[in-house]
Amino acid sequence: QVQLVESGGGLVQPGGSLRLSCAASGRIFSIYAMSWYRQAPGKQRELVAAITSGDSTNYADSVKGRFTISRDNARNTVYLQMSSLKPEDTAVYYCSADVRTTVPIIRRDYWGQGTQVTVSS
């Protein structure tokens, strides 16, 4: 019904930057909040940043001042600009979207397959 496809991950040196993108497609009527999560090896998945349909944002304390979440509603896309990256930011990053679909008319969360971000020298 709805597919989320992330892109933009890769290998970057400490202090570097990356921009992740996540595009939603399918039987979309409306997208509410969009979020980025990450999961490092051996750790639980954690919320990194979220943005509402009204562009209100919130961030994990560990990324405040370094990461910026934004969205393009015309393209059903959410972005995560990551700067001043640290080795502890290494993880698989997943996007999530709270979507109301057209057929069937339901509202639920959808997830992407994830993109690897590795911060290492």
Side-chain angles (χ1 to χ4, degrees):
Q1 297 166 350
V2 176
Q3 298 78 41
L4 300 181
V5 178
E6 300 105 333
S7 61
L11 173 65
V12 63
Q13 292 186 341
S17 299
L18 279 177
R19 188 194 195 206
L20 305 183
S21 300
C22 173
S25 62
R27 297 176 177 176
I28 299 170
F29 178 80
S30 184
I31 302 178
Y32 301 95
M34 303 184 81
S35 307
W36 287 96
Y37 287 76
R38 67 186 181 187
Q39 187 167 20
K43 295 188 177 181
Q44 289 188 331
R45 190 173 296 188
E46 64 174 353
L47 176 67
V48 176
I51 184 167
T52 68
S53 56
D55 288 339
S56 294
T57 59
N58 69 284
Y59 297 90
D61 288 343
S62 60
V63 306
K64 283 181 181 177
R66 301 188 298 121
F67 291 10
T68 301
I69 189 171
S70 61
R71 63 191 286 172
D72 182 336
N73 293 326
R75 291 181 169 82
N76 291 334
T77 299
V78 63
Y79 305 97
L80 186 68
Q81 178 67 48
M82 305 185 293
S83 303
S84 301
L85 282 161
K86 305 175 181 180
E88 51 263 43
D89 294 317
T90 296
V92 178
Y93 283 70
Y94 299 89
C95 72
S96 177
D98 178 5
V99 180
R100 180 183 175 188
T101 54
T102 55
V103 179
I105 303 174
I106 60 172
R107 178 177 173 177
R108 52 160 281 195
D109 290 333
Y110 291 86
W111 290 83
Q113 292 188 325
T115 184
Q116 177 70 47
V117 171
T118 302
V119 184
S120 175
S121 55

